[in-house]
């Protein structure tokens, strides 16, 4: 049983998080580095360019990379401080075994012994309970080479259908909707189109904190005269400078999109020629939105009718436009429908597939795009092929030199893996750069399921909260300790360059996976000598389908400053803008610009449904969650970087002064938020920038400060994304500090 081997405070004392600050060579501006390594930031999907300063085989700082085409030398607070995760005191330098008698509950073990133990346990579980009894949870911050290898490892080496990744918590609603509407899952336009738009519509995206460099593109558009529309329950930093703010109730985005489309049709603000020649399904959608009058839309969304009319007019009458969204509309039990509603607005305008006219999802994780293209999703094979499609299976099996019938079928999503553990169908688990105990909803259930496993192995560079449950921990690699590719927010494939070697007995993740395959006696297909060889096989496996990388090489990426896929041949320059007139794709084969056999985009009826858990007399408030600028995801890295923790030391409950006054809560006082799953006591942050019926808590913290212990595990029926952005809650004034106060703070 993979139960915690030690008390939380003992684990923290031994494995952290401890805080890293600049000191020594990192503090001395006069130190000359031995070399500068051009690479990219390890955090969000923008993947800003950075030059890492290396001295004595340690990363000691950074220099701006002014020529990096996307970011042009700009970095956010996380990028500026990301070098402080290197040479960190919490870094895992050896393999570790569970040992309740050791400090922190783990003791070192030899790497080869650890690999043998992992292979033996996988073999035992699969022999006893079947191949699907062992599951894999992978990450969307891995290089594309590693993501590809994880999918192949699961299907070929382990023969298990049960693999999924933490992008299930990020991009899948947008991905599913994009495939239903366009036939392809990628940003339609490069960010250079944003400043050319007359109107920029931003829904559910805290751009300035979660994708800071994108703010520059939005502000460029504003400087050129564009009008900015922001839809959010909070007046986020980007909303403070917008032209029109729509303070929507969480979970009501479909209603707004349907209401705006209703007004576009009523006022003749639609492109009838584009709709007739380039789309199908408009009449059904037009009939559906007929009932979404401004009065009904206002009542459902909480937005004033006049504001809805103004937004529809600004969007409907523009000659060029760009619509972007993020998790705010996607983290819902109807997230796919939300996204389809936004796409219906874009298609009705006809403003897509040309300069200054676009649509995009703001990718969250470092390789949130590339990580969802090449096979680590539960239903996917490389190139965005479908694992249930016999032709797709045959194409990939040929590259892998296996029988197509030997490939397993569709597995279950990341959260369902834990339900399968509860049912006894999954007995073993391997995770790579995933911290589900912090990042999954109703996370106390996740912790109990980790305790129920027969065997759990974690691969990571720090002992995150989930890895504390492991039987064996294998020391993996930081981004700067390996090379490979990622695909950033625009769909541009870029190069990650190795700056330093792995310390101690740590290994590059792809090497660890291959060592496990060898330990299992199943090395065929897992004898790559370097990431370039993995990438070259990925190129062949993706050839001929939607996410076609076959014309991309490492040299071409470096030469061009990145390559936009699809890129079907070595002499093809790549595809910065999708859906242009006259463009060719393997689905339409010349019939039209969209990725269906007839070349036409699809309108989809986006029916409104309320949140899975709406407010009532007992829980009258709406709890929503999100990020802050100095932290990232589950905080495994950022909660160890001193200056970032100093910027936002602890999670707080954002609330409106009207609500705070009603509850007798002052700013900085302790308050308790409660849902049907539990309670969380944090300090109050009283602000005027949030709806009075909404509470906001950032989700980067663990233990008793983890808000995901309270979020609901309801999921979208198509994408299986959890509903992080709204659940019913109530608020009370706490009698005093919670028991944990002062005990769980990171130590220097």
């Amino acid at each position: 049983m993979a139960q915690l081997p030690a008390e939380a405070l003992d684990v923290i004392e031994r494995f952290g998080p401890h805080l890293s600050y600049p000191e020594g060579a990192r503090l001395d501006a006069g130190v000359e580095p031995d070399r500068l390594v051009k690479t990219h930031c390890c955090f969000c999907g923008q993947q800003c360019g950075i030059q890492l300063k290396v001295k004595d085989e340690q990363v000691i700082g950074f220099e701006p990379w002014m020529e990096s085409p996307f970011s042009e030398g700009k970095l956010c607070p996380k990028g500026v401080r990301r070098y402080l995760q290197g040479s960190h005191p919490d870094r895992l330098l050896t393999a570790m075994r569970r040992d309740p008698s050791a400090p922190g509950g783990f003791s070192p073990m030899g790497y080869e012994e650890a690999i043998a133990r992992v292979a033996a346990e996988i073999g035992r579980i699969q022999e006893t309970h079947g191949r699907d009894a062992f599951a894999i949870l992978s990450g969307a911050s891995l290089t594309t080479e590693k993501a590809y290898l994880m999918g192949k490892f699961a299907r070929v080496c382990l023969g298990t259908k049960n693999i999924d990744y933490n992008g299930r918590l990020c991009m899948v609603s947008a991905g599913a909707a994009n495939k239903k509407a366009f036939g392809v899952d990628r940003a339609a336009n490069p960010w250079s189109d944003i400043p050319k738009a007359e109107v920029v519509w931003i829904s559910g995206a805290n751009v300035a904190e979660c994708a800071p460099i994108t703010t520059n593109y939005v502000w460029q558009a504003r400087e050129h005269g564009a009008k900015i529309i922001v839809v959010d329950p909070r007046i986020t930093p980007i909303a403070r400078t917008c032209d029109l703010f729509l303070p929507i109730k969480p979970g009501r985005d479909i209603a707004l999109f349907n209401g705006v489309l209703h007004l576009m049709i009523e006022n003749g603000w639609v492109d009838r020629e584009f709709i007739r020649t380039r789309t199908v399904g408009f009449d059904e959608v037009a009939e559906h939105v007929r009932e979404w009058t401004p009065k009904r839309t206002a009542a459902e969304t909480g937005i004033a009718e006049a504001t809805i009319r103004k937004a529809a007019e600004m969007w409907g009458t523009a000659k060029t436009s760009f619509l972007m969204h993020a998790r705010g509309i996607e983290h819902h039990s109807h997230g796919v429908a939300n996204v389809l509603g936004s796409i219906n607005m874009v298609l009705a305008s006809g403003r897509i597939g040309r300069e200054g006219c676009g649509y995009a999802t703001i990718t969250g994780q470092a390789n949130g795009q590339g990580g969802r293209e090449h096979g680590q999703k539960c239903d996917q094979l490389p190139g965005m092929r479908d694992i249930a499609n016999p032709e797709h299976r045959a194409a990939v099996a040929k590259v892998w030199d296996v029988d197509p019938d030997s490939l397993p079928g569709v597995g279950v999503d990341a959260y369902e893996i834990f339900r399968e553990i509860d049912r006894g169908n999954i007995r073993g688990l391997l995770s790579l750069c995933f911290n589900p105990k912090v990042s999954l909803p109703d996370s106390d259930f996740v912790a109990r399921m980790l305790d129920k496993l027969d065997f759990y192995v974690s691969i990571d560079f720090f002992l995150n909260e989930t890895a504390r449950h492991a039987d064996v921990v294998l020391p993996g690699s930081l981004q700067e300790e390996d090379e490979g590719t990622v695909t950033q927010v625009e769909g541009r494939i870029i190069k990650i360059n190795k700056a330093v070697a792995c310390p101690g007995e740590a290994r590059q993740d792809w090497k660890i996976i291959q060592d496990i395959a060898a330990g299992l006696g199943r090395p065929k297909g897992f004898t790559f000598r370097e990431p370039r060889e993995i990438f070259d096989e990925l190129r062949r496996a993706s050839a001929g389908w939607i996410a076609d990388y076959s014309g991309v090489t490492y040299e071409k990426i470096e030469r061009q400053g990145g390559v936009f896929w699809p890129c079907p041949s070595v002499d093809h320059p790549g595809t910065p803008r999708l859906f242009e007139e006259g463009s060719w794709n393997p689905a339409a084969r010349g019939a039209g610009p969209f990725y269906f056999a007839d070349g036409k985009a699809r309108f989809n009826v986006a029916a409104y449904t309320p949140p899975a858990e709406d407010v009532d007399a007992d829980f009258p408030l709406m709890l929503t969650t999100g990020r802050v600028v100095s932290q990232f995801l589950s905080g495994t890295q950022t909660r160890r970087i001193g200056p970032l923790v100093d910027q936002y030391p602890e999670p707080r409950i954002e609330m409106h002064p009207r609500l705070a006054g009603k509850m007798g809560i002052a700013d900085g006082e302790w308050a308790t938020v409660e849902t049907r799953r539990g309670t969380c006591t944090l300090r109050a942050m009283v602000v005027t920038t949030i709806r009075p019926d909404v509470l906001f808590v950032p989700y980067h913290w663990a233990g008793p400060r983890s808000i995901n212990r309270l979020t609901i595990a309801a999921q979208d029926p198509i994408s299986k994304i959890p509903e992080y952005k709204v659940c019913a809650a109530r608020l009370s004034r706490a009698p005093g500090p919670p028991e944990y106060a002062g005990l769980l703070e990171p130590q220097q």
Side-chain angles (χ1 to χ4, degrees):
M1 302 292 286
Q3 298 176 354
L4 286 173
E7 294 295 327
L9 292 178
D10 294 333
V11 179
I12 291 171
E13 183 178 355
R14 170 67 177 85
F15 295 104
H18 298 98
L19 298 182
S20 174
Y21 287 92
E23 59 184 12
R26 290 174 166 176
L27 200 58
D28 186 348
V31 172
E32 286 294 324
D34 297 329
R35 59 184 179 274
L36 289 174
V37 179
K38 289 182 169 65
T39 186
H40 294 83
C41 181
C42 58
F43 291 119
C44 83
Q46 296 176 113
Q47 285 296 282
C48 300
I50 189 171
Q51 298 186 91
L52 295 181
K53 297 166 67 174
V54 179
K55 180 71 173 179
D56 297 331
E57 299 309 311
Q58 292 190 6
V59 176
I60 62 167
F62 77 98
E63 292 286 348
W65 183 6
M66 307 305 296
E67 298 78 24
S68 182
F70 176 84
S71 54
E72 298 177 325
K74 292 178 284 295
L75 291 167
C76 81
K78 293 185 293 296
V80 167
R81 298 296 187 177
R82 53 95 66 211
Y83 71 94
L84 290 172
Q85 68 180 339
S87 305
H88 196 285
D90 293 346
R91 181 62 190 276
L92 295 175
L93 302 176
T94 67
M96 308 292 291
R97 61 159 63 87
R98 161 187 306 282
D99 182 356
S101 67
F106 290 88
S107 60
M109 66 187 303
Y111 177 79
E112 290 76 14
E113 180 188 359
I115 291 294
R117 169 86 187 281
V118 171
E121 292 290 348
I122 294 173
R124 178 186 62 79
I125 288 171
Q126 291 194 313
E127 183 176 345
T128 305
H129 303 286
R131 293 215 162 191
D132 292 336
F134 202 91
I136 292 176
L137 288 172
S138 192
S141 292
L142 304 172
T143 62
T144 304
E145 289 83 349
K146 294 177 186 179
Y148 168 84
L149 191 70
M150 293 306 294
K152 183 182 179 183
F153 176 72
R155 275 64 179 251
V156 175
C157 182
L158 299 191
T160 180
K161 67 180 182 181
N162 288 318
I163 177 173
D164 207 36
Y165 76 132
N166 59 12
R168 184 66 56 187
L169 320 178
C170 187
M171 302 301 305
V172 288
S173 286
N178 276 246
K179 288 185 71 175
K180 288 174 74 70
F182 303 130
V184 60
D185 169 21
R186 203 208 88 178
N189 297 66
W191 260 220
S192 57
D193 274 348
I194 296 174
K196 301 170 185 175
E198 289 184 8
V199 171
V200 179
W201 182 301
I202 304 170
S203 268
N206 182 4
V207 173
E209 293 196 81
C210 302
I213 308 311
T214 294
T215 307
N216 180 61
Y217 288 90
V218 176
W219 283 355
Q220 283 184 52
R222 186 186 62 187
E223 292 299 312
H224 293 155
K227 301 298 183 183
I228 312 301
I229 301 170
V230 174
V231 185
D232 203 285
R234 303 160 64 222
I235 304 175
T236 58
I238 193 70
R240 296 170 199 164
T241 61
C242 73
D243 296 277
L244 188 65
F245 175 63
L246 284 69
I248 195 167
K249 289 182 182 178
R252 273 72 180 179
D253 304 278
I254 309 171
L256 175 62
F257 296 139
N258 284 345
V260 170
L261 184 55
H262 170 103
L263 288 168
M264 291 173 66
I265 295 170
E266 183 180 84
N267 290 280
W269 297 329
V270 296
D271 187 333
R272 292 285 179 179
E273 180 63 15
F274 179 87
I275 291 169
R276 183 184 68 82
T277 61
R278 286 290 175 252
T279 72
V280 296
F282 175 75
D283 291 343
E284 292 84 353
V285 170
E287 178 62 30
H288 178 75
V289 302
R290 182 178 297 178
E291 64 186 26
W292 283 98
T293 63
K295 182 178 180 180
R296 182 186 177 192
T297 304
E300 202 65 59
T301 62
I303 303 168
E305 183 177 333
T307 305
I308 295 169
R309 289 183 179 275
K310 181 63 175 175
E313 182 179 5
M314 290 171 65
W315 177 261
T317 60
K319 293 183 176 62
T320 58
S321 61
F322 202 108
L323 188 149
M324 64 178 75
H325 57 77
R327 309 303 83 71
I329 75 168
E330 300 160 24
H331 273 161
H332 292 277
S333 56
H334 46 262
V336 174
N338 281 346
V339 177
L340 289 171
S342 73
I343 293 173
N344 287 340
M345 283 174 45
V346 174
L347 291 177
S349 75
R351 298 190 296 266
I352 193 168
R354 52 193 171 94
E355 189 176 23
C357 296
Y359 160 84
T361 297
I362 302 174
T363 309
Q365 296 192 64
N367 198 17
Q369 180 65 56
R372 70 182 193 261
E373 297 168 355
H374 295 293
Q376 64 175 347
K377 291 173 66 177
C378 66
D379 58 352
Q380 189 190 71
L381 290 170
M384 284 192 178
R385 289 182 168 91
D386 296 323
I387 199 166
N389 184 311
E391 293 183 5
H392 293 186
R393 292 168 65 88
V396 174
K398 183 177 181 181
V399 175
W400 288 348
D401 190 25
V402 298
D403 185 339
D405 292 336
S406 70
L407 297 177
V410 176
V412 298
D413 66 87
Y415 203 89
E416 192 65 20
I417 281 177
F418 288 92
R419 296 191 183 106
E420 285 289 281
I421 294 170
D422 195 25
R423 299 179 188 115
N425 296 326
I426 291 176
R427 311 296 288 265
L429 178 67
L430 181 152
S431 69
L432 172 58
C433 293
F434 191 175
N435 193 8
K437 186 178 176 181
V438 177
S439 57
L440 284 178
D442 191 11
S443 56
D444 285 344
F445 168 76
V446 173
R448 293 195 301 272
M449 293 310 100
L450 291 167
D451 290 346
K452 197 171 182 178
L453 286 165
D454 291 354
F455 180 76
Y456 169 41
V457 54
S458 172
I459 305 172
D460 220 318
F461 38 81
F462 296 128
L463 192 79
N464 65 37
E465 285 75 19
T466 306
R468 296 175 188 178
H469 291 257
D471 296 283
V472 173
V473 180
L474 297 170
S477 52
L478 291 169
Q479 186 206 55
E480 56 263 38
E481 294 163 1
D482 204 352
E483 72 168 342
T485 62
V486 298
T487 302
Q488 50 85 270
V489 62
E490 305 167 290
R492 187 197 311 250
I493 305 163
I494 56 177
K495 183 74 166 35
I496 303 300
N497 290 314
K498 181 179 177 181
V500 293
C502 295
E505 295 185 15
R507 302 285 200 279
Q508 286 135 338
D509 304 320
W510 60 272
K511 289 185 177 180
I512 294 174
I513 293 302
Q514 295 199 147
D515 288 343
I516 295 172
L520 284 163
R522 309 169 195 171
K524 181 183 176 182
F526 301 95
T527 56
F528 300 105
R529 293 168 296 181
E530 58 180 350
R532 180 188 295 267
E533 292 184 354
I534 304 174
F535 188 74
D536 285 343
E537 183 178 283
L538 180 157
R539 293 170 59 205
R540 298 195 302 275
S542 69
W545 197 235
I546 291 170
D548 192 337
Y549 281 36
S550 61
V552 184
T553 65
Y554 281 7
E555 291 76 17
K556 188 173 183 177
I557 294 170
E558 300 278 22
R559 185 170 63 250
Q560 293 187 189
V563 180
F564 290 83
W565 70 261
C567 183
S569 64
V570 292
D571 58 351
H572 191 286
T575 311
R577 186 181 298 111
L578 298 178
F579 316 135
E580 291 187 300
E581 286 298 317
S583 60
W584 190 95
N585 67 70
R589 306 188 70 81
F594 296 97
Y595 284 60
F596 296 103
D598 60 6
K600 296 182 177 182
R602 268 56 175 162
F603 280 92
N604 289 268
V605 170
Y608 170 72
T609 54
E613 186 179 79
D614 216 341
V615 297
D616 57 25
D618 292 329
F619 294 90
L621 302 172
M622 292 171 279
L623 171 65
T624 191
T625 66
R627 285 165 49 190
V628 296
V629 69
S630 67
Q631 292 294 314
F632 190 65
L633 301 184
S634 70
T636 297
Q637 294 157 276
T638 50
R639 283 189 282 116
R640 288 175 161 84
I641 297 176
L644 297 182
V645 173
D646 293 344
Q647 186 170 345
Y648 203 106
E650 60 182 352
R652 297 197 172 206
I653 307 171
E654 277 192 24
M655 62 188 74
H656 192 274
R658 190 185 307 169
L659 175 61
K662 178 182 176 182
M663 305 306 298
I665 300 170
D667 185 63
E669 289 186 338
W670 294 97
T672 298
V673 58
E674 181 179 2
T675 72
R676 289 181 172 86
R677 288 150 295 283
T679 64
C680 188
T681 298
L682 305 166
R683 294 186 190 274
M685 180 180 286
V686 181
V687 295
T688 59
T689 53
I690 190 169
R691 289 180 58 98
D693 53 0
V694 173
L695 302 170
F696 170 83
V697 181
Y699 58 70
H700 311 289
W701 282 266
R705 298 184 296 178
S706 173
I707 198 61
N708 275 332
R709 296 184 300 107
L710 276 62
T711 49
I712 189 170
Q715 293 174 275
D716 184 286
I718 298 171
S719 70
K720 305 299 182 182
I721 206 167
E723 189 153 56
Y724 291 106
K725 288 298 183 277
V726 59
C727 66
R730 59 191 177 203
L731 180 70
S732 61
R733 187 176 186 272
E739 291 183 3
Y740 73 78
L743 297 177
L744 299 180
E745 306 305 320
Q747 303 297 311
Q748 293 191 32

